[in-house]
């Protein structure tokens, strides 16, 4: 969660490689959250985390399209 917040807040300062890395991490987050379901995360927490990761992924993609050769 903390890394997703950092990617969201610092996207304008990140290099194109860092944006790509953040987008891949955001894309992988839903699977990681679902696999952690048995480790104390509630369905609501998983749902919120998945939605936030999707939002961050969209923002990073938009930033990449704006500044980077994709």
């Amino acid at each position: 969660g903390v890394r997703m917040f950092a990617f969201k807040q610092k996207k304008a300062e990140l290099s194109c490689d860092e944006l790509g890395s953040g987008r891949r991490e955001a894309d992988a987050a839903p699977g990681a959250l679902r696999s952690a379901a048995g480790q104390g995360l509630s369905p609501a927490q998983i749902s919120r985390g998945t939605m936030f990761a999707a939002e961050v992924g969209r923002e990073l993609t938009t930033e990449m399209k704006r500044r980077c050769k994709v």
Side-chain angles (χ1 to χ4, degrees), residues 2 6-7 10 12 17 20-21 23-25 28 30-31 33 35 37 42 44 46 48 52 57 59 64 67-70:
V2 172
F7 284 128
K10 299 292 185 178
D17 287 340
S21 177
R23 187 177 70 180
R24 286 187 297 278
E25 194 168 319
L33 287 167
S35 69
S42 72
I46 294 169
R48 285 191 303 270
F52 185 64
E59 289 184 16
M64 286 178 72
R67 293 194 288 132
C68 307
K69 293 183 180 184
V70 188

Side-chain angles (χ1 to χ4, degrees), residues 12-48:
E13 301 169 29
L14 299 175
S15 70
C16 292
D17 287 340
E18 291 167 331
L19 287 168
S21 177
R23 187 177 70 180
R24 286 187 297 278
E25 194 168 319
D27 291 347
L33 287 167
R34 286 187 196 100
S35 69
Q39 299 175 0
L41 291 178
S42 72
Q45 289 172 312
I46 294 169
S47 178
R48 285 191 303 270

